[in-house]
Amino acid sequence: AGLVGRLRGPVAELTPLVPDLLVGVEKERLLSRTAEFVDFGAPGDLALDAAALLDVFGLLDVVDIATTSNLESQDVARIYFLLSERYEVDRMLSRITQLPRADRWSALARAALRSDLYGVLEGMTRRVLASTSSSSDALQRILDWEDQQSEGLSRARATLDEIAGLEQFDLATLSVALRTLRTVVQQGS
């Protein structure tokens, strides 16, 4: 109850901003999904709200980061969603969703991958915020952080590009992709 009480207000304030915070493929996904819901007969506002639920989930991490770091939630959200786009979190989530769910263990493995991916995105956001100047805009802060991590990111991008080029994805490839991202976050600490 305490956690819900602490997060409810800030998440409610940020939720209407989600369509403007998303960029690239993630924004296209939101708009496409909204159009699908409208085509099914949903009112536009409700369709947008429903289509944004996946992204609203990320606001829990955004608000937590902002609260524990004493930062503005909107500033944290801009970095969070830009990182999500730059590191193709949406695509990885889609691939995790496509993994087989033949049994309980497969479902648990998928849930663990999703949770770990959100944890990596949260960790990246925290690293960018902690290691860059607050006087820069969100994109510049990310670019500055990437410059600081250039050697590790170069190796990580090579691995991620190789994985992205595969036609088939399984638990092993997605686990390696996630571990690669986690390593980048850990190097930045």
Side-chain angles (χ1 to χ4, degrees), residues 51-170:
L53 285 176
L54 176 66
D55 306 296
V56 169
F57 179 75
L59 295 179
L60 296 172
D61 284 336
V62 167
V63 170
D64 184 56
I65 294 166
T67 302
T68 59
S69 304
N70 200 27
L71 298 169
E72 291 293 322
S73 294
Q74 286 186 36
D75 295 337
V76 175
R78 282 185 194 91
I79 290 172
Y80 183 92
F81 287 116
L82 276 171
L83 283 167
S84 181
E85 174 67 18
R86 285 180 74 78
Y87 290 90
E88 300 181 342
V89 169
D90 207 50
R91 182 164 62 164
M92 287 183 64
L93 285 169
S94 294
R95 290 176 176 164
I96 290 168
T97 299
Q98 294 169 7
L99 289 174
R101 39 184 155 227
D103 57 34
R104 175 177 167 233
W105 302 111
S106 298
L108 288 172
R110 287 172 32 161
L113 283 175
R114 268 192 214 98
S115 178
D116 287 349
L117 183 56
Y118 280 112
V120 165
L121 182 55
E122 177 190 6
M124 275 188 183
T125 304
R126 286 185 188 276
R127 297 290 184 248
V128 169
L129 290 164
S131 65
T132 61
S133 171
S134 61
S135 64
S136 298
D137 69 15
L139 180 57
Q140 188 58 54
R141 291 182 81 172
I142 292 169
L143 294 173
D144 291 346
W145 177 76
E146 288 175 344
D147 283 345
Q148 297 166 16
Q149 310 303 317
S150 62
E151 186 176 319
L153 273 173
S154 176
R155 286 191 304 269
R157 286 221 188 263
T159 301
L160 293 171
D161 287 347
E162 184 178 349
I163 291 169
L166 298 173
E167 290 185 27
Q168 297 289 329
F169 296 91
D170 57 17

